[in-house]
């Protein structure tokens, strides 16, 4: 009755009408749409055994409960919050508690969540070493989710919710299933940029929610940059007073930041803040005198400013105090220190900088001055006991780094970034890939496929080098996105990156992915995220534009139907009966 | 005090910090951001004289009223609806009626709307010959908007609302201004596709609203196509029963259609429906037996179907009845009959078609068969007293057309579409351009500029030929858009087309346009449309995602501030004072 299905790619191909209007252009390629034997699972777990035996879930009596043996009890609010969230995803209409009625069919009455290690880590922050593994066994009358830590339980709850579907009559159903799962990479990040456009808190929260559905675990918060400084610093309040787009409507207060970090923690997501220096700092200069380098036009200052001034002691005093604050505000063990795209022209124009260069024996090699700055900055941050991430330029320029530094690769074409990954890991550093996942760059058609095909371990290197790849990050830089368009532009395109970073490296059948992703996208829409369509078609529960702020903590779902979404191009009469995963 | 400013391009250039992160890519070009002397006007009127003399508008007493001399009185609900709409745009917070207090400053207490011709056309549908011209004179204590017909009054009300700004203290202000305005082209359309994805009514209404703000006057409703048939026909209800994605949640009922047409009429927008045949008809075949051509595989039918079957009399009987209904449901004088992209392979496979081809002496030239079908269809539609629009293939294939037919050019690259425009007009037909305005095709960066630079009269031809160009249409085909992403993807990109089709042909300074468009985009955001950002920056009133259905008829605006929006990259302290148009 139970067949092992791990990574076979049997595809029940369906002949579909290809309803394209091609406009004389031929660049749009659609994958073949079929049924995935994995239903709507996204990202695909490491090992799935699914049976055709289906059970019902009673809206009156089904519960998610702590297993008796669990090391984590009713006092773990992280889990209690998660139970409530997933209960509402599965049963969007509120329901009363009641007794199980005598039934004529087999059902799953409970999902028991069993934290197996003595320390559940319920009250911790997630970290780079957090164990996210879990095992899920769905049977009648009881389903069991076992995980060493709460982090795995969160991932398993999402998976459980993705297994639930509706039969033809709308009854919640789930098949007998065994899943063993763990992430391929420990760092699965998403970068959002709140400087080029201010992102309202609720946009950030909505996207943290969607990240959890896609098993992302790092929110890389590119919080400040040239255009604006929305981070409200307690130590240097003038930074946002002067540098934000508006001193109180366009800032993140300390309590906003705390709330975002806690919202993320409850979903097993780390918040890694980026305070990029010495470039990308125009907005810093507005509220901090003498921090930036005065540029010269001939013999006199031009009135404009360049990167952070690396030759003044006051610069380092400022950075020491600033990063001391940042290290307490953001609990994560890592800070992203930037270090990218330093423009040397202003430094070159400044006579004091020139003098300093001569004194230090740097000649005219301004990358040495950059390294001088970064080196001192890293020493400062090291005293806060934080690890750091930096963009690839820092290592390209030969700065000495701590062994646990993460190098963030973002430049070049495929050949170039693969060579960089090889170089970085050959030097013994850990690497993180973003180049193929700059999702701000859009193009017509199904560009999720290109993101899906990229693999951070695709480069020439030894096994030891490959092990130094900790993962990757999807990036959505902010030039062309704000609250009006960020969310539909990001999802489901980022989902492609989510599966690449979680699932086994052999999970790369684009057709199978397409079938699951269409359903996963409709599920996101049903849960209230306006994820854009992959192609012509419809969802069983279309976007109604009725997401409210309340949704973010306790999602209010629009329709009476459950969490399973339809395939595109299926007739409306068939979609419900086809949602059951096939064997 | 009053200077004539028509089409001078004096630009108060402002040095701005160019905060780009270029990712090693160099394809993003930003125009220079300065102040436009025309403030936030979009599209730019034909003639603007603006003074530095500013008046206030009182929230207690300002009113939009019918001029005493007006041929249109309080019984014209089109105008009364428009007064309410524009009152609410200008004063988003509801206010009480009251007496004008004694003031220390000059104010505008009334905008008098004066319909000058005997027939205001208040209860008409807008048509291809509707007069949209108007004259607007803003002075103290009275502003006067004169227009021959209500259509011009609607355009002038929009312009008036765009002239209102807030001074530093939030007081509504408007400068002494004289405007004479009329459209360059009579057909300024937007195509939305409700077949590839079903578009909820409220998405259509919201975009009609945005169209009016951009002075578009034709909603080209590509209502059905291969993937689905959401038009509910009274005569042939099986078409949507079988051919829609869902027979009642994904259809437009007769009352839905009526409501959309009336909503559009109140904004001076024609609704031109497209029922595309003989290709793009897969969804028709589900509910209408024998309408489509059975394809053959060798000697027997393959089970799949091709274009409309042109050799059966029943086909023409059906079309006659169907278009008779359509011609009554849609009051516009034109129907778009499609005629694009007919795939001949199925016709070629069918032995009955082959026999018919031989009988008719068509040889193997299937475009003759296509023309045969189209010719008969046009004869049928002609009996309904409608004019028709068709895609360019129909004329490319040499079908005989009525003199008043509009040829819709959509294919090829710039050289090809310009040649086609020349050919079409040389044949004496009216032409409509869409090729450069396929807004479904997206690319990274400021692609509004390419749309802005295209001009439908840019081709080699005589003045007589140029006069046959009636305008153009922005098209947003539906493969990759639905309710989740349509609106931000469309606006403000479609605004570029709106100005090209309304304003004088010499209005083409991209820098000036950029400055106005940034403010126009923020105004759309403030009025409740999530128009996406053009670049890094912020609006004085950011998108709050709080648009409700109620907004569509009586816009509820989020903030207490008025209709004028900020420039990007300006410090928050300065934006308010800079909103006054400069001389």
């Amino acid at each position: 009755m139970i067949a092992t299905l791990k990574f076979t790619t049997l595809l029940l191909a369906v002949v579909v009408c290809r309803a394209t209007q091609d406009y004389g252009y031929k660049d749009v390629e659609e994958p073949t749409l079929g049924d995935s034997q994995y239903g709507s699972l996204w990202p695909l777990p490491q090992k799935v055994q699914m049976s055709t035996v289906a059970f019902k879930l009673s809206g009156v009596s089904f519960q998610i409960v702590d297993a008796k043996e669990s090391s984590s009890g009713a006092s773990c609010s992280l889990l209690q919050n998660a139970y409530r969230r997933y209960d509402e995803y599965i049963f969007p209409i509120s329901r009363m508690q009641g007794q199980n009625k005598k039934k004529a069919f087999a059902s799953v009455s409970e999902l028991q969540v069993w934290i197996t290690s003595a320390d559940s880590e319920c009250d911790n922050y997630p970290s780079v070493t957090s164990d996210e593994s879990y095992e899920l066994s769905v049977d009648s009358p009881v389903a069991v989710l076992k995980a060493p830590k709460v982090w795995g339980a969160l991932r398993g709850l999402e998976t459980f919710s993705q297994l639930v579907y509706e039969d033809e009559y709308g009854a919640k159903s789930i098949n007998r299933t065994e899943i063993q799962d763990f992430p391929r990479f420990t760092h699965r990040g998403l970068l959002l940029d709140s400087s080029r456009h201010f992102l309202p808190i609720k946009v950030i929260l909505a996207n943290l929610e969607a990240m959890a559905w896609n098993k992302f675990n790092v929110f890389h918060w590119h919080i400040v940059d040239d255009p604006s400084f929305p981070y409200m610093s307690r130590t240097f309040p003038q930074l946002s007073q002067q540098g934000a787009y508006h001193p109180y409507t366009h800032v993140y207060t300390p309590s906003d930041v705390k709330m975002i970090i806690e919202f993320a923690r409850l979903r097993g997501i780390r918040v890694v803040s980026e305070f990029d220096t010495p470039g990308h700092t125009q907005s810093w200069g507005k509220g901090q005198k003498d921090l930036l380098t005065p540029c010269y036009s001939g013999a006199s200052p031009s009135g404009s400013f360049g990167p952070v001034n690396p030759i003044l002691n006051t610069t380092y005093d400022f950075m020491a105090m600033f990063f001391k604050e940042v290290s307490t505000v953001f609990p994560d063990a890592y800070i992203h220190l930037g270090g990218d795209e330093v423009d040397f022209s202003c430094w070159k124009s400044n006579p004091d900088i020139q003098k300093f260069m001569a004194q230090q024996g740097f000649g005219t090699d301004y990358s040495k001055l950059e390294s001088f700055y970064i080196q001192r900055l890293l020493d400062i941050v090291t005293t806060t006991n934080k690890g750091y991430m930096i963009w690839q330029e820092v290592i390209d320029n030969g700065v000495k780094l701590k062994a646990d530094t993460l190098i963030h690769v973002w430049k070049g074409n495929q050949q170039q970034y693969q060579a960089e990954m090889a170089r970085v890991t050959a030097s013994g550093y850990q690497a993180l890939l973003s180049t193929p996942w700059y999702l701000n760059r859009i193009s017509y058609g199904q560009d999720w496929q290109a993101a899906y095909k990229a693999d951070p371990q695709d480069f020439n290197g030894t096994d030891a080098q490959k092990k130094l790849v900790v993962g990757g990050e999807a990036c959505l830089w902010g030039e062309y996105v704000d609250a009006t368009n960020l969310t539909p532009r990001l999802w489901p395109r980022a989902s492609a990156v989510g599966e690449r970073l979680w699932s086994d490296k052999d999970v790369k059948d684009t057709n199978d992915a397409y079938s699951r992703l269409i359903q996963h996208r409709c599920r996101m829409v049903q849960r209230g995220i306006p994820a854009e369509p992959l192609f012509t078609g419809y969802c069983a529960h279309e976007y109604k534009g009725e997401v409210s702020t309340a949704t973010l903590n306790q999602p209010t779902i629009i329709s009476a139907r459950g969490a399973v979404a339809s395939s595109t191009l299926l007739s409306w009469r068939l979609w419900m009966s086809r949602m059951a995963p096939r064997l």
Side-chain angles (χ1 to χ4, degrees), chain A residues 3 61 101 107 119-120 187 245 251 259 288 295 308 321 343 365 368 371 414 431 435 440 447 469 481 489 583:
Chain A
S61 60
K101 295 203 184 113
S107 75
D119 179 7
S120 71
H187 188 117
Y245 284 140
V251 298
M259 203 256 276
Q288 186 64 19
C295 312
V308 165
M321 289 176 72
D343 178 359
D365 184 353
K368 285 188 177 153
S371 297
Q414 185 180 22
T435 310
N440 50 303
D447 61 358
V469 178
V481 289
R489 185 165 292 191
L583 283 195

Side-chain angles (χ1 to χ4, degrees), chain A residues 9-10 36 41 93 99 106 128 229 254 258-259 275 293 315 333 347 366 460 463 486 494 527-528 568:
Chain A
T9 53
L10 171 73
S36 172
L41 287 172
I93 298 299
Q99 289 297 322
V128 68
F229 196 103
K258 199 176 272 187
M259 203 256 276
F275 289 90
T293 307
T315 292
W347 280 350
Y366 284 83
N460 288 326
D463 285 356
L486 184 147
R527 290 180 182 181
T568 303

Side-chain angles (χ1 to χ4, degrees), chain A residues 451-463:
Chain A
Y452 191 71
K453 284 173 185 156
D455 192 302
Q457 289 179 328
D458 267 355
F459 61 85
N460 288 326
T462 62
D463 285 356

Side-chain angles (χ1 to χ4, degrees), chain A residues 154-317:
Chain A
L154 291 171
R155 305 296 169 244
L157 283 165
E158 175 60 34
T159 301
F160 180 84
S161 76
Q162 295 187 358
L163 289 171
V164 177
Y165 61 95
E166 292 183 344
D167 72 7
E168 191 183 339
Y169 303 97
K172 306 291 176 186
S173 308
I174 191 167
N175 286 23
R176 179 182 284 160
T177 303
E178 298 287 331
I179 286 177
Q180 287 95 45
D181 202 10
F182 54 88
R184 178 178 169 206
F185 293 108
T186 56
H187 188 117
R188 306 180 307 281
L190 172 67
L191 178 150
L192 296 180
D193 166 5
S194 59
S195 172
R196 289 179 178 80
H197 288 97
F198 180 77
L199 301 178
I201 308 272
K202 73 177 181 183
V203 170
I204 294 176
L205 299 186
N207 283 282
L208 285 167
E209 195 83 278
M211 285 173 69
W213 305 339
N214 289 274
K215 296 191 168 67
F216 279 97
N217 68 350
V218 179
F219 169 37
H220 175 164
W221 193 355
H222 188 87
I223 190 166
V224 301
D225 203 302
D226 282 325
S228 76
F229 196 103
Y231 172 75
M232 185 181 147
S233 162
R234 285 187 197 272
T235 320
F236 301 99
Q238 287 303 310
L239 289 170
S240 59
Q241 281 279 329
Q242 303 294 330
Y245 284 140
H246 186 286
Y248 51 85
T249 66
H250 286 60
V251 298
Y252 304 104
T253 67
S255 51
D256 293 340
V257 171
K258 199 176 272 187
M259 203 256 276
I260 286 169
I261 292 170
E262 178 64 5
F263 191 94
R265 186 188 81 81
L266 291 174
R267 286 151 184 82
I269 297 171
R270 300 162 52 200
V271 178
V272 174
S273 60
E274 177 178 354
F275 289 90
D276 189 356
T277 66
H280 291 284
T281 48
Q282 288 294 306
S283 68
W284 301 50
K286 294 181 183 169
Q288 186 64 19
K289 206 169 161 298
D290 296 335
L291 181 65
L292 303 186
T293 307
C295 312
Y296 276 65
S297 176
S300 49
S302 69
S304 66
F305 294 88
V308 165
N309 191 333
I311 69 170
L312 301 181
N313 285 330
T314 50
T315 292
Y316 301 100
D317 295 342

